[in-house]
mmCIF file of all heavy atoms in Angstrom:
data_model
loop_
_atom_site.group_PDB
_atom_site.id
_atom_site.type_symbol
_atom_site.label_atom_id
_atom_site.label_comp_id
_atom_site.label_asym_id
_atom_site.label_seq_id
_atom_site.Cartn_x
_atom_site.Cartn_y
_atom_site.Cartn_z
ATOM 1 N N TRP A 776 152.277 5.928 162.100
ATOM 2 C CA TRP A 776 152.262 6.770 160.912
ATOM 3 C C TRP A 776 153.627 6.762 160.218
ATOM 4 O O TRP A 776 153.726 6.644 159.001
ATOM 5 C CB TRP A 776 151.847 8.202 161.293
ATOM 6 C CG TRP A 776 151.940 9.151 160.148
ATOM 7 C CD1 TRP A 776 152.867 10.101 159.947
ATOM 8 C CD2 TRP A 776 151.064 9.219 159.029
ATOM 9 N NE1 TRP A 776 152.656 10.766 158.800
ATOM 10 C CE2 TRP A 776 151.513 10.233 158.194
ATOM 11 C CE3 TRP A 776 149.920 8.515 158.643
ATOM 12 C CZ2 TRP A 776 150.908 10.574 157.008
ATOM 13 C CZ3 TRP A 776 149.312 8.864 157.468
ATOM 14 C CH2 TRP A 776 149.797 9.876 156.660
ATOM 15 N N GLU A 777 154.701 6.874 161.000
ATOM 16 C CA GLU A 777 156.053 6.845 160.437
ATOM 17 C C GLU A 777 156.331 5.503 159.745
ATOM 18 O O GLU A 777 156.920 5.460 158.677
ATOM 19 C CB GLU A 777 157.087 7.087 161.546
ATOM 20 C CG GLU A 777 157.054 8.467 162.156
ATOM 21 C CD GLU A 777 157.556 9.514 161.205
ATOM 22 O OE1 GLU A 777 158.474 9.214 160.406
ATOM 23 O OE2 GLU A 777 157.046 10.636 161.248
ATOM 24 N N ARG A 778 155.911 4.403 160.383
ATOM 25 C CA ARG A 778 156.137 3.082 159.817
ATOM 26 C C ARG A 778 155.367 2.928 158.497
ATOM 27 O O ARG A 778 155.897 2.416 157.508
ATOM 28 C CB ARG A 778 155.697 2.018 160.819
ATOM 29 C CG ARG A 778 156.134 0.638 160.406
ATOM 30 C CD ARG A 778 155.802 -0.419 161.429
ATOM 31 N NE ARG A 778 156.378 -0.098 162.723
ATOM 32 C CZ ARG A 778 155.822 -0.421 163.896
ATOM 33 N NH1 ARG A 778 154.693 -1.079 163.929
ATOM 34 N NH2 ARG A 778 156.396 -0.112 165.029
ATOM 35 N N THR A 779 154.119 3.385 158.456
ATOM 36 C CA THR A 779 153.306 3.308 157.244
ATOM 37 C C THR A 779 153.931 4.138 156.132
ATOM 38 O O THR A 779 153.998 3.714 154.977
ATOM 39 C CB THR A 779 151.874 3.814 157.523
ATOM 40 O OG1 THR A 779 151.342 3.092 158.618
ATOM 41 C CG2 THR A 779 150.994 3.641 156.322
ATOM 42 N N LYS A 780 154.402 5.324 156.474
ATOM 43 C CA LYS A 780 155.041 6.208 155.506
ATOM 44 C C LYS A 780 156.309 5.563 154.940
ATOM 45 O O LYS A 780 156.565 5.600 153.732
ATOM 46 C CB LYS A 780 155.376 7.530 156.209
ATOM 47 C CG LYS A 780 155.639 8.671 155.297
ATOM 48 C CD LYS A 780 155.597 9.929 156.126
ATOM 49 C CE LYS A 780 156.713 10.858 155.726
ATOM 50 N NZ LYS A 780 156.765 12.055 156.546
ATOM 51 N N LYS A 781 157.097 4.898 155.809
ATOM 52 C CA LYS A 781 158.320 4.232 155.385
ATOM 53 C C LYS A 781 157.985 3.053 154.460
ATOM 54 O O LYS A 781 158.638 2.848 153.436
ATOM 55 C CB LYS A 781 159.084 3.748 156.610
ATOM 56 C CG LYS A 781 160.394 3.091 156.282
ATOM 57 C CD LYS A 781 161.080 2.663 157.566
ATOM 58 C CE LYS A 781 162.350 1.912 157.252
ATOM 59 N NZ LYS A 781 162.950 1.383 158.462
ATOM 60 N N ASP A 782 156.962 2.281 154.799
ATOM 61 C CA ASP A 782 156.552 1.145 153.954
ATOM 62 C C ASP A 782 156.088 1.632 152.592
ATOM 63 O O ASP A 782 156.379 1.007 151.572
ATOM 64 C CB ASP A 782 155.429 0.344 154.623
ATOM 65 C CG ASP A 782 155.922 -0.425 155.833
ATOM 66 O OD1 ASP A 782 157.154 -0.575 155.973
ATOM 67 O OD2 ASP A 782 155.074 -0.874 156.633
ATOM 68 N N ARG A 783 155.351 2.736 152.553
ATOM 69 C CA ARG A 783 154.861 3.284 151.290
ATOM 70 C C ARG A 783 156.024 3.737 150.414
ATOM 71 O O ARG A 783 156.039 3.524 149.213
ATOM 72 C CB ARG A 783 153.923 4.460 151.577
ATOM 73 C CG ARG A 783 152.781 4.518 150.590
ATOM 74 C CD ARG A 783 151.820 5.636 150.887
ATOM 75 N NE ARG A 783 150.972 5.315 152.013
ATOM 76 C CZ ARG A 783 150.621 6.164 152.965
ATOM 77 N NH1 ARG A 783 151.043 7.397 152.941
ATOM 78 N NH2 ARG A 783 149.844 5.794 153.946
ATOM 79 N N ARG A 784 157.019 4.359 150.999
ATOM 80 C CA ARG A 784 158.176 4.817 150.260
ATOM 81 C C ARG A 784 158.957 3.639 149.682
ATOM 82 O O ARG A 784 159.395 3.656 148.538
ATOM 83 C CB ARG A 784 159.102 5.625 151.180
ATOM 84 C CG ARG A 784 159.270 7.048 150.718
ATOM 85 C CD ARG A 784 160.257 7.815 151.571
ATOM 86 N NE ARG A 784 159.615 8.235 152.804
ATOM 87 C CZ ARG A 784 160.124 8.099 154.012
ATOM 88 N NH1 ARG A 784 161.305 7.578 154.179
ATOM 89 N NH2 ARG A 784 159.472 8.495 155.078
ATOM 90 N N SER A 785 159.114 2.578 150.441
ATOM 91 C CA SER A 785 159.868 1.430 149.948
ATOM 92 C C SER A 785 159.088 0.678 148.867
ATOM 93 O O SER A 785 159.680 0.085 147.984
ATOM 94 C CB SER A 785 160.227 0.490 151.097
ATOM 95 O OG SER A 785 159.045 -0.064 151.643
ATOM 96 N N ALA A 786 157.748 0.723 148.907
ATOM 97 C CA ALA A 786 156.951 0.065 147.868
ATOM 98 C C ALA A 786 157.028 0.840 146.560
ATOM 99 O O ALA A 786 156.984 0.256 145.483
ATOM 100 C CB ALA A 786 155.498 -0.052 148.320
ATOM 101 N N ASP A 787 157.147 2.164 146.619
ATOM 102 C CA ASP A 787 157.229 2.992 145.421
ATOM 103 C C ASP A 787 158.615 2.973 144.791
ATOM 104 O O ASP A 787 158.770 3.266 143.611
ATOM 105 C CB ASP A 787 156.845 4.447 145.743
ATOM 106 C CG ASP A 787 155.371 4.572 146.096
ATOM 107 O OD1 ASP A 787 154.609 3.647 145.752
ATOM 108 O OD2 ASP A 787 154.994 5.578 146.714
ATOM 109 N N ALA A 788 159.617 2.639 145.562
ATOM 110 C CA ALA A 788 160.989 2.661 145.046
ATOM 111 C C ALA A 788 161.186 1.499 144.075
ATOM 112 O O ALA A 788 160.630 0.423 144.257
ATOM 113 C CB ALA A 788 161.978 2.548 146.200
ATOM 114 N N PRO A 789 161.960 1.731 143.025
ATOM 115 C CA PRO A 789 162.206 0.631 142.076
ATOM 116 C C PRO A 789 163.021 -0.479 142.724
ATOM 117 O O PRO A 789 163.851 -0.236 143.594
ATOM 118 C CB PRO A 789 162.982 1.298 140.943
ATOM 119 C CG PRO A 789 163.577 2.517 141.543
ATOM 120 C CD PRO A 789 162.651 2.950 142.644
ATOM 121 N N ALA A 790 162.747 -1.689 142.289
ATOM 122 C CA ALA A 790 163.467 -2.837 142.831
ATOM 123 C C ALA A 790 164.913 -2.779 142.354
ATOM 124 O O ALA A 790 165.183 -2.384 141.227
ATOM 125 C CB ALA A 790 162.817 -4.123 142.360
ATOM 126 N N PRO A 791 165.844 -3.145 143.199
ATOM 127 C CA PRO A 791 167.247 -3.128 142.771
ATOM 128 C C PRO A 791 167.462 -4.166 141.669
ATOM 129 O O PRO A 791 166.878 -5.239 141.694
ATOM 130 C CB PRO A 791 168.018 -3.491 144.040
ATOM 131 C CG PRO A 791 167.028 -4.166 144.924
ATOM 132 C CD PRO A 791 165.683 -3.606 144.565
ATOM 133 N N GLU A 792 168.268 -3.806 140.682
ATOM 134 C CA GLU A 792 168.536 -4.718 139.570
ATOM 135 C C GLU A 792 169.431 -5.850 140.047
ATOM 136 O O GLU A 792 170.394 -5.632 140.761
ATOM 137 C CB GLU A 792 169.187 -3.962 138.425
ATOM 138 C CG GLU A 792 168.263 -2.980 137.768
ATOM 139 C CD GLU A 792 168.883 -2.377 136.529
ATOM 140 O OE1 GLU A 792 169.739 -3.044 135.919
ATOM 141 O OE2 GLU A 792 168.513 -1.251 136.203
ATOM 142 N N ARG A 793 169.068 -7.045 139.617
ATOM 143 C CA ARG A 793 169.853 -8.210 139.990
ATOM 144 C C ARG A 793 170.929 -8.451 138.947
ATOM 145 O O ARG A 793 170.734 -8.225 137.772
ATOM 146 C CB ARG A 793 168.953 -9.428 140.090
ATOM 147 C CG ARG A 793 167.938 -9.285 141.206
ATOM 148 C CD ARG A 793 166.996 -10.432 141.252
ATOM 149 N NE ARG A 793 167.726 -11.689 141.217
ATOM 150 C CZ ARG A 793 167.160 -12.872 141.331
ATOM 151 N NH1 ARG A 793 165.877 -12.955 141.486
ATOM 152 N NH2 ARG A 793 167.886 -13.964 141.269
ATOM 153 N N GLU A 794 172.047 -8.923 139.393
ATOM 154 C CA GLU A 794 173.141 -9.226 138.477
ATOM 155 C C GLU A 794 172.878 -10.554 137.794
ATOM 156 O O GLU A 794 172.491 -11.526 138.425
ATOM 157 C CB GLU A 794 174.458 -9.336 139.264
ATOM 158 C CG GLU A 794 175.311 -8.125 139.158
ATOM 159 C CD GLU A 794 176.664 -8.352 139.802
ATOM 160 O OE1 GLU A 794 177.241 -9.440 139.619
ATOM 161 O OE2 GLU A 794 177.119 -7.432 140.482
ATOM 162 N N THR A 795 173.047 -10.578 136.496
ATOM 163 C CA THR A 795 172.944 -11.838 135.768
ATOM 164 C C THR A 795 174.293 -12.528 135.823
ATOM 165 O O THR A 795 175.309 -11.875 136.073
ATOM 166 C CB THR A 795 172.533 -11.591 134.307
ATOM 167 O OG1 THR A 795 173.544 -10.815 133.687
ATOM 168 C CG2 THR A 795 171.201 -10.886 134.209
ATOM 169 N N PRO A 796 174.326 -13.826 135.585
ATOM 170 C CA PRO A 796 175.628 -14.510 135.621
ATOM 171 C C PRO A 796 176.642 -13.923 134.638
ATOM 172 O O PRO A 796 177.822 -13.859 134.931
ATOM 173 C CB PRO A 796 175.272 -15.948 135.237
ATOM 174 C CG PRO A 796 173.847 -16.101 135.625
ATOM 175 C CD PRO A 796 173.226 -14.742 135.445
ATOM 176 N N ALA A 797 176.162 -13.458 133.462
ATOM 177 C CA ALA A 797 177.094 -12.865 132.500
ATOM 178 C C ALA A 797 177.663 -11.555 133.034
ATOM 179 O O ALA A 797 178.831 -11.254 132.828
ATOM 180 C CB ALA A 797 176.388 -12.629 131.172
ATOM 181 N N ASP A 798 176.802 -10.771 133.715
ATOM 182 C CA ASP A 798 177.288 -9.523 134.296
ATOM 183 C C ASP A 798 178.277 -9.807 135.418
ATOM 184 O O ASP A 798 179.256 -9.093 135.581
ATOM 185 C CB ASP A 798 176.120 -8.698 134.839
ATOM 186 C CG ASP A 798 175.238 -8.166 133.733
ATOM 187 O OD1 ASP A 798 175.713 -8.113 132.577
ATOM 188 O OD2 ASP A 798 174.085 -7.813 134.018
ATOM 189 N N ALA A 799 178.018 -10.840 136.179
ATOM 190 C CA ALA A 799 178.894 -11.161 137.300
ATOM 191 C C ALA A 799 180.279 -11.566 136.791
ATOM 192 O O ALA A 799 181.284 -11.231 137.379
ATOM 193 C CB ALA A 799 178.290 -12.272 138.140
ATOM 194 N N ALA A 800 180.325 -12.281 135.648
ATOM 195 C CA ALA A 800 181.610 -12.707 135.104
ATOM 196 C C ALA A 800 182.270 -11.591 134.305
ATOM 197 O O ALA A 800 183.442 -11.674 133.983
ATOM 198 C CB ALA A 800 181.413 -13.932 134.214
ATOM 199 N N GLY A 801 181.504 -10.574 133.949
ATOM 200 C CA GLY A 801 182.049 -9.464 133.170
ATOM 201 C C GLY A 801 182.098 -9.751 131.678
ATOM 202 O O GLY A 801 182.775 -9.050 130.950
ATOM 203 N N VAL A 802 181.387 -10.776 131.214
ATOM 204 C CA VAL A 802 181.391 -11.142 129.800
ATOM 205 C C VAL A 802 180.052 -10.749 129.191
ATOM 206 O O VAL A 802 179.004 -11.140 129.674
ATOM 207 C CB VAL A 802 181.599 -12.670 129.626
ATOM 208 C CG1 VAL A 802 181.532 -13.057 128.161
ATOM 209 C CG2 VAL A 802 182.901 -13.098 130.258
ATOM 210 N N ARG A 803 180.112 -9.960 128.131
ATOM 211 C CA ARG A 803 178.889 -9.575 127.404
ATOM 212 C C ARG A 803 179.072 -9.934 125.942
ATOM 213 O O ARG A 803 180.073 -9.580 125.333
ATOM 214 C CB ARG A 803 178.606 -8.094 127.542
ATOM 215 C CG ARG A 803 178.168 -7.717 128.924
ATOM 216 C CD ARG A 803 177.794 -6.257 128.952
ATOM 217 N NE ARG A 803 177.355 -5.933 130.276
ATOM 218 C CZ ARG A 803 176.141 -5.517 130.566
ATOM 219 N NH1 ARG A 803 175.273 -5.333 129.618
ATOM 220 N NH2 ARG A 803 175.803 -5.254 131.798
ATOM 221 N N ILE A 804 178.068 -10.626 125.374
ATOM 222 C CA ILE A 804 178.120 -11.014 123.967
ATOM 223 C C ILE A 804 177.429 -9.930 123.154
ATOM 224 O O ILE A 804 176.276 -9.603 123.423
ATOM 225 C CB ILE A 804 177.425 -12.373 123.746
ATOM 226 C CG1 ILE A 804 178.140 -13.451 124.548
ATOM 227 C CG2 ILE A 804 177.363 -12.729 122.281
ATOM 228 C CD1 ILE A 804 177.451 -14.793 124.522
ATOM 229 N N PRO A 805 178.091 -9.361 122.156
ATOM 230 C CA PRO A 805 177.438 -8.359 121.305
ATOM 231 C C PRO A 805 176.236 -8.968 120.585
ATOM 232 O O PRO A 805 176.225 -10.159 120.260
ATOM 233 C CB PRO A 805 178.527 -7.966 120.304
ATOM 234 C CG PRO A 805 179.805 -8.342 120.968
ATOM 235 C CD PRO A 805 179.502 -9.521 121.827
ATOM 236 N N SER A 806 175.229 -8.163 120.336
ATOM 237 C CA SER A 806 173.980 -8.670 119.772
ATOM 238 C C SER A 806 174.120 -9.147 118.331
ATOM 239 O O SER A 806 173.305 -9.923 117.862
ATOM 240 C CB SER A 806 172.897 -7.592 119.853
ATOM 241 O OG SER A 806 173.302 -6.461 119.115
ATOM 242 N N TRP A 807 175.148 -8.749 117.613
ATOM 243 C CA TRP A 807 175.306 -9.160 116.219
ATOM 244 C C TRP A 807 175.988 -10.518 116.075
ATOM 245 O O TRP A 807 175.937 -11.137 115.018
ATOM 246 C CB TRP A 807 176.096 -8.107 115.441
ATOM 247 C CG TRP A 807 177.461 -7.844 115.997
ATOM 248 C CD1 TRP A 807 177.794 -6.923 116.933
ATOM 249 C CD2 TRP A 807 178.664 -8.540 115.662
ATOM 250 N NE1 TRP A 807 179.137 -6.991 117.211
ATOM 251 C CE2 TRP A 807 179.699 -7.985 116.433
ATOM 252 C CE3 TRP A 807 178.970 -9.574 114.790
ATOM 253 C CZ2 TRP A 807 181.002 -8.426 116.370
ATOM 254 C CZ3 TRP A 807 180.288 -10.019 114.724
ATOM 255 C CH2 TRP A 807 181.282 -9.439 115.506
ATOM 256 N N ILE A 808 176.594 -11.020 117.120
ATOM 257 C CA ILE A 808 177.339 -12.285 117.035
ATOM 258 C C ILE A 808 176.430 -13.478 116.712
ATOM 259 O O ILE A 808 176.789 -14.277 115.847
ATOM 260 C CB ILE A 808 178.154 -12.523 118.325
ATOM 261 C CG1 ILE A 808 179.224 -11.479 118.399
ATOM 262 C CG2 ILE A 808 178.665 -13.949 118.402
ATOM 263 C CD1 ILE A 808 180.593 -11.913 118.726
ATOM 264 N N PRO A 809 175.270 -13.684 117.354
ATOM 265 C CA PRO A 809 174.446 -14.840 116.994
ATOM 266 C C PRO A 809 174.032 -14.837 115.521
ATOM 267 O O PRO A 809 174.059 -15.883 114.872
ATOM 268 C CB PRO A 809 173.232 -14.724 117.916
ATOM 269 C CG PRO A 809 173.713 -13.943 119.082
ATOM 270 C CD PRO A 809 174.727 -12.994 118.535
ATOM 271 N N ALA A 810 173.666 -13.665 114.979
ATOM 272 C CA ALA A 810 173.286 -13.592 113.563
ATOM 273 C C ALA A 810 174.476 -13.918 112.663
ATOM 274 O O ALA A 810 174.335 -14.639 111.672
ATOM 275 C CB ALA A 810 172.731 -12.208 113.240
ATOM 276 N N ALA A 811 175.646 -13.420 112.999
ATOM 277 C CA ALA A 811 176.838 -13.689 112.192
ATOM 278 C C ALA A 811 177.203 -15.166 112.226
ATOM 279 O O ALA A 811 177.580 -15.754 111.207
ATOM 280 C CB ALA A 811 178.009 -12.843 112.684
ATOM 281 N N VAL A 812 177.071 -15.794 113.387
ATOM 282 C CA VAL A 812 177.359 -17.228 113.505
ATOM 283 C C VAL A 812 176.362 -18.023 112.663
ATOM 284 O O VAL A 812 176.737 -18.967 111.955
ATOM 285 C CB VAL A 812 177.326 -17.677 114.984
ATOM 286 C CG1 VAL A 812 177.319 -19.189 115.115
ATOM 287 C CG2 VAL A 812 178.503 -17.087 115.736
ATOM 288 N N PHE A 813 175.094 -17.652 112.710
ATOM 289 C CA PHE A 813 174.068 -18.342 111.936
ATOM 290 C C PHE A 813 174.335 -18.220 110.434
ATOM 291 O O PHE A 813 174.295 -19.212 109.702
ATOM 292 C CB PHE A 813 172.684 -17.783 112.280
ATOM 293 C CG PHE A 813 171.581 -18.397 111.493
ATOM 294 C CD1 PHE A 813 171.155 -19.693 111.749
ATOM 295 C CD2 PHE A 813 170.964 -17.691 110.486
ATOM 296 C CE1 PHE A 813 170.144 -20.265 111.011
ATOM 297 C CE2 PHE A 813 169.942 -18.247 109.742
ATOM 298 C CZ PHE A 813 169.533 -19.553 110.008
ATOM 299 N N VAL A 814 174.625 -17.016 109.952
ATOM 300 C CA VAL A 814 174.904 -16.805 108.532
ATOM 301 C C VAL A 814 176.168 -17.556 108.115
ATOM 302 O O VAL A 814 176.201 -18.213 107.074
ATOM 303 C CB VAL A 814 175.019 -15.296 108.215
ATOM 304 C CG1 VAL A 814 175.575 -15.065 106.826
ATOM 305 C CG2 VAL A 814 173.664 -14.629 108.364
ATOM 306 N N GLY A 815 177.196 -17.490 108.933
ATOM 307 C CA GLY A 815 178.436 -18.189 108.616
ATOM 308 C C GLY A 815 178.263 -19.698 108.578
ATOM 309 O O GLY A 815 178.755 -20.381 107.673
ATOM 310 N N LEU A 816 177.536 -20.249 109.539
ATOM 311 C CA LEU A 816 177.291 -21.689 109.577
ATOM 312 C C LEU A 816 176.450 -22.134 108.386
ATOM 313 O O LEU A 816 176.732 -23.165 107.775
ATOM 314 C CB LEU A 816 176.605 -22.064 110.891
ATOM 315 C CG LEU A 816 176.434 -23.544 111.175
ATOM 316 C CD1 LEU A 816 177.789 -24.236 111.238
ATOM 317 C CD2 LEU A 816 175.689 -23.738 112.486
ATOM 318 N N THR A 817 175.441 -21.346 108.021
ATOM 319 C CA THR A 817 174.605 -21.668 106.860
ATOM 320 C C THR A 817 175.439 -21.637 105.582
ATOM 321 O O THR A 817 175.328 -22.529 104.739
ATOM 322 C CB THR A 817 173.433 -20.674 106.748
ATOM 323 O OG1 THR A 817 172.674 -20.732 107.966
ATOM 324 C CG2 THR A 817 172.536 -21.011 105.585
#
């Protein structure tokens, strides 16, 4: 019963967030940069 209860609790818990390579390096690109580059290049 204890084991089943523990398994149920771990299934309901949210999955831990995985680090993306950008997060691991600490570099984040602002969302407006791709649009600005596109407009500038055009």
Side-chain angles (χ1 to χ4, degrees):
W776 174 254
E777 293 290 326
R778 191 176 304 148
T779 306
K780 198 166 138 183
K781 182 179 176 186
D782 290 344
R783 216 178 284 140
R784 242 184 281 133
S785 65
D787 292 341
E792 292 187 27
R793 295 176 49 176
E794 258 187 42
T795 62
D798 291 341
V802 177
R803 290 185 179 242
I804 299 174
S806 61
W807 59 270
I808 293 227
V812 168
F813 178 73
V814 169
L816 188 61
T817 302

